[in-house]
């Protein structure tokens, strides 16, 4: 590579992203940023569950399944956004209220434990809080997806339409910046956690509890930021409308152009009816106490979502239908791979001595690498197929799982003496960003850009929501798979009675090593097998 070509690549990769930023992108980016900042309480949640609640790894994985179900209900929400486009901001306000309620429940549970547990047991409050938050984020995310569509202009400053390549680049940049804002929010909260937990090793349990509670109060900025994004977006549209009216454009044309740019959408009762059936089905099975309720709900959810997709596919050209099916299937299997569950984090806390501050450092590094990865991969995403990008991410995810396995088998005990204590457990852990790595978000960027570019103009939000519901069901499959591997390879942390100090559940990490190896193998094998099958058949994707 010559100096000139290297300079061109660096400019396209880094400076180009900044140059393509538009002020119109800011409102949806604020909503995505709020979602990223919501991770502020994740580390607190990990330690709160470990220290205060007697919940197994399999139970927590199962709870993750139910918490993921609201994302499948993004279908009717997205369609509702298309119908009430001009007033879609109201859904962000409703979502903000649900998120705030979730945060305040956890604040009360930590800061006013006696009063809260007098009403419901701590576990019940925790489950309610866990289920409320995703409901709020689903509402806000559906609106943010729609806002990304109206943020990309169809005409240049001279009133001429942009070329197809330019529109593709802008949609890819918009989706890239959306993920960038989301992961940037994760990085920001990691810095806050590092600051808040400074000196945590010297703190008493009561002092830690105060910090846990304060972090939940700080997290109330999440709904505030998303609301600010909607207010800003509405203000920018109204300002543009005044400028056009002042320039002599008919007010009715301005209203159609800015506040319903893609025409009116009529209700699709198949979507609303199917979603109602999904809701009734899910609640009924969930409350039934059936042994395989999660599996039944997943199968039913998948059937309903696939049915709704079949009702939308006729809106696309035949070639686009096949490409969308292939693309979404590849992303689905990439996101559906089981994770290790909380046992890996418990091992790091109990056996390796990782505290809240150091886990925050790992989260920051993970987010930073994901941001760098997105920027570096941006030119590839604009020029390479989604299958190529997912294959690259799969190999990278497999490599990232190796340090975690090495830590379990004592790699640090061998490297530390050889390096004078430099390459110890914490040094190796810094190389391992497998703890809920945000890189899974990268796989969504090309697909979201494809939908923004190719979906019918009057059904953009509906297509976003339905396909996101399908892909997000992969997270439910991931939660079920995580539950399965944790039932096969049993991992327990030490649990003590907080009153007597008696050990009620002994720690047992003897099967964690095999669990990590199996998960690492599945991380590589499952996505690559899906890519091979799709790319070998008629659903081959070239976009």
């Amino acid at each position: 590579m010559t100096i000139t070509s290297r300079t061109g690549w660096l400019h396209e990769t880094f400076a180009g992203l900044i140059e393509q930023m538009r002020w119109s992108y800011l409102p949806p980016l604020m909503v995505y940023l709020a979602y990223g900042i919501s991770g502020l309480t994740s580390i607190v949640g990990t330690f709160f569950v470990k220290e205060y609640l007697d919940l197994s790894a399999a139970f927590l994985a199962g709870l993750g399944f139910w918490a993921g179900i609201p994302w499948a209900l993004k279908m009717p929400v997205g369609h509702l956004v298309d119908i009430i486009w001009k007033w879609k901001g109201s859904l962000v306000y409703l979502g903000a209220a649900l998120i705030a309620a979730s945060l305040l429940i956890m604040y009360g549970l930590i800061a006013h434990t006696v009063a809260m547990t007098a009403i419901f047991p701590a576990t019940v409050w925790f489950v309610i809080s866990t289920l409320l938050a995703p409901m709020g984020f689903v509402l806000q995310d559906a609106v943010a997806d729609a806002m990304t569509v109206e943020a990309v202009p169809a005409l240049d400053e001279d009133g001429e339409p942009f070329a197809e390549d330019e529109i593709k680049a802008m949609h890819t940049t918009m989706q890239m910046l959306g993920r960038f804002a989301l992961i940037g929010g994760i990085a920001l909260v990691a810095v806050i956690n590092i600051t808040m937990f400074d000196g945590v090793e010297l703190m008493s349990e009561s002092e830690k509890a105060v910090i846990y509670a304060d972090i939940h109060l700080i997290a109330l900025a999440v709904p505030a930021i998303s609301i600010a994004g909607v207010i800003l977006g509405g203000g920018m549209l109204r300002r543009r409308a005044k400028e056009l009216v002042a320039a002599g454009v008919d007010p009715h044309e301005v209203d159609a152009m800015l506040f319903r740019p893609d025409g009116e959408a009529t209700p699709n009762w198949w979507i609303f009816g199917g979603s109602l059936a999904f809701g009734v089905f899910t609640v009924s099975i969930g409350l039934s106490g059936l042994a395989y309720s999660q599996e039944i709900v997943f199968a039913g959810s998948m059937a309903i979502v696939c049915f709704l997709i079949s009702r939308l596919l006729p809106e696309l050209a035949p070639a686009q239908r096949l490409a969308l099916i292939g693309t979404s299937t590849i992303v689905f299997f990439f996101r559906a791979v089981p994770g290790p569950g909380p046992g890996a984090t418990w091992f790091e806390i109990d056996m390796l001595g990782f505290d809240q501050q150091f886990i925050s450092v790992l989260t920051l590094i993970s987010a930073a690498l994901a941001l760098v990865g997105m920027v570096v991969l941006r030119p590839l995403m604009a020029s390479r197929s989604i299958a190529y990008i997912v294959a690259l991410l799969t190999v990278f995810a497999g490599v990232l799982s190796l340090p975690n396995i090495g830590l379990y088998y004592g790699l640090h005990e061998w490297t530390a003496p050889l390096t004078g204590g430099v390459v110890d457990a914490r040094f190796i852990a810094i190389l391992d960003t497998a703890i809920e790595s945000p890189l899974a978000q990268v796989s969504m960027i090309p697909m979201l850009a494809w939908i923004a570019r190719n979906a019918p103009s009057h059904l953009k939000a509906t297509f976003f929501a339905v396909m996101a519901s399908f892909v997000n069901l992969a997270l439910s499959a991931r939660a079920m798979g995580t539950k399965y591997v944790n039932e096969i390879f049993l991992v327990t942390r030490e649990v003590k009675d907080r009153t007597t100090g008696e050990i009620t559940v002994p720690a047992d990490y003897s099967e964690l090593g095999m669990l990590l190896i199996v998960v690492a193998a599945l991380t590589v094998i499952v996505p690559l097998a899906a890519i091979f099958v799709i790319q070998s058949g008629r659903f081959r994707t070239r976009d």
Side-chain angles (χ1 to χ4, degrees):
M1 183 182 288
T2 64
I3 294 178
T4 302
S5 62
R6 281 198 298 267
T7 303
W9 180 84
L10 288 172
H11 182 274
E12 180 184 7
T13 301
F14 295 99
L17 183 63
I18 299 174
E19 292 174 353
Q20 293 181 34
M21 173 66 186
R22 296 172 177 270
W23 282 111
S24 61
Y25 295 172
L26 188 57
L29 292 182
M30 292 178 68
V31 181
Y32 286 130
L33 176 66
Y35 185 30
I37 294 176
S38 68
L40 179 62
T41 60
S42 62
I43 292 175
V44 170
T46 297
F47 279 84
F48 178 80
V49 169
K50 183 178 180 299
E51 296 168 1
Y52 289 85
L53 302 179
D54 181 12
L55 300 176
S56 69
F59 177 89
L60 292 171
L63 181 58
F65 170 83
W66 294 111
I69 289 298
W71 288 98
L73 288 173
K74 193 176 175 181
M75 296 176 293
V77 177
H79 192 49
L80 182 62
V81 169
D82 277 326
I83 295 171
I84 63 167
W85 189 275
K86 191 172 181 178
W87 300 278
K88 61 184 180 293
S90 59
L91 296 180
V92 172
Y93 289 93
L94 177 58
L98 293 172
I99 296 167
S102 173
L103 292 169
L104 289 173
I105 286 174
M106 289 304 299
Y107 169 77
L109 188 57
I110 296 170
H112 306 284
T113 307
V114 175
M116 294 289 284
T117 53
I119 303 173
F120 293 122
T123 300
V124 173
W125 281 121
F126 177 74
V127 170
I128 293 173
S129 175
T130 301
L131 296 179
L132 276 179
M135 294 179 187
F137 286 121
V138 166
L139 295 174
Q140 296 197 342
D141 195 61
V143 176
D145 287 342
M147 292 170 69
T148 64
V149 175
E150 64 184 7
V152 174
L155 306 176
D156 62 21
E157 296 178 353
D158 299 323
E160 297 296 326
F162 285 104
E164 180 66 22
D165 289 345
E166 292 177 295
I167 292 177
K168 177 181 179 180
M170 283 190 290
H171 278 299
T172 300
T173 299
M174 177 69 255
Q175 296 302 329
M176 170 74 73
L177 289 171
R179 304 303 112 175
F180 205 92
L182 191 156
I183 298 175
I186 295 174
L188 176 62
V189 302
V191 173
I192 295 174
N193 274 317
I194 291 171
T195 303
M196 295 288 288
F197 286 116
D198 185 31
V200 67
E201 67 278 0
L202 302 177
M203 294 180 186
S204 65
E205 292 299 318
S206 60
E207 290 173 327
K208 292 178 185 178
V210 170
I211 293 179
Y212 292 170
D214 288 345
I215 286 177
H216 279 88
L217 287 181
I218 295 173
L220 288 173
V222 171
I225 292 173
S226 59
I227 289 174
V230 171
I231 293 174
L232 176 62
M236 293 173 71
L237 285 177
R238 287 190 293 272
R239 178 181 178 183
R240 177 62 177 158
K242 289 180 181 179
E243 291 174 349
L244 291 173
V245 170
V249 181
D250 183 84
H252 294 290
E253 293 183 16
V254 172
D255 185 76
M257 184 188 306
L258 296 181
F259 299 105
R260 183 63 264 185
D262 299 322
E264 296 294 334
T266 57
N268 185 324
W269 297 110
W270 282 108
I271 291 179
F272 286 129
S275 300
L276 177 62
F278 169 82
V280 173
F281 172 77
T282 301
V283 173
S284 300
I285 297 298
L287 296 177
S288 67
L290 292 175
Y292 297 98
S293 59
Q294 292 181 12
E295 290 78 4
I296 294 171
V297 167
F298 177 78
S301 303
M302 182 62 75
I304 292 171
V305 171
C306 290
F307 170 75
L308 294 176
I309 290 175
S310 71
R311 306 298 301 182
L312 284 176
L313 286 179
E315 299 282 347
L316 299 174
Q320 291 178 330
R321 295 175 203 167
L322 297 177
L324 182 58
I325 293 173
T327 294
S328 57
T329 301
I330 289 173
V331 177
F332 178 92
F333 280 100
F334 177 77
R335 291 165 69 90
V337 175
T345 304
W346 294 344
F347 175 81
E348 292 172 342
I349 295 170
D350 287 343
M351 308 305 292
L352 301 180
F354 293 179
D355 55 29
Q356 295 91 331
Q357 186 180 45
F358 184 68
I359 292 178
S360 300
V361 171
L362 293 181
T363 303
L364 175 61
I365 294 171
S366 175
L369 286 177
L371 290 174
V372 172
M374 284 196 300
V375 174
V376 171
L377 290 174
R378 188 177 69 90
L380 283 177
M381 283 188 244
S383 59
R384 296 279 190 161
S385 70
I386 295 176
Y388 180 92
I389 298 299
V390 172
L392 195 64
L393 293 175
T394 297
V395 173
F396 189 52
V399 172
L400 286 178
S401 66
L402 296 179
N404 221 13
I405 297 173
L407 283 175
Y408 176 80
Y409 286 104
L411 176 63
H412 55 290
E413 296 174 357
W414 177 67
T415 57
L418 293 177
T419 59
V422 175
V423 185
D424 58 2
R426 295 198 171 202
F427 184 94
I428 295 173
I430 287 176
L431 302 178
D432 174 26
T433 57
I435 304 174
E436 299 298 326
S437 173
L439 276 177
Q441 293 290 339
V442 178
S443 66
M444 291 289 289
I445 296 172
M447 191 185 79
L448 293 174
W450 189 97
I451 294 173
R453 190 172 71 255
N454 294 297
S457 60
H458 62 293
L459 291 173
K460 295 287 189 184
T462 302
F463 264 83
F464 268 123
V466 172
M467 297 313 301
S469 295
F470 173 72
V471 174
N472 282 325
L473 274 175
L475 300 181
S476 296
R478 174 184 172 87
M480 282 198 303
T482 302
K483 182 187 71 171
Y484 295 151
V485 295
N486 275 275
E487 288 176 343
I488 296 171
F489 305 102
L490 187 62
V491 177
T492 61
R493 71 193 186 281
E494 182 180 278
V495 178
K496 293 183 179 179
D497 186 294
R498 297 190 64 81
T499 303
T500 64
E502 179 183 355
I503 297 176
T504 57
V505 179
D508 183 2
Y509 297 107
S510 59
E511 298 185 26
L512 178 61
M514 187 54 64
L515 185 154
L516 294 174
I517 292 172
V518 169
V519 168
L522 292 175
T523 296
V524 176
I525 293 172
V526 172
L528 293 183
I531 292 171
F532 176 79
V533 172
I534 292 298
Q535 295 299 92
S536 299
R538 66 192 186 106
F539 296 109
R540 178 185 178 91
T541 175
R542 296 177 174 83
D543 279 346

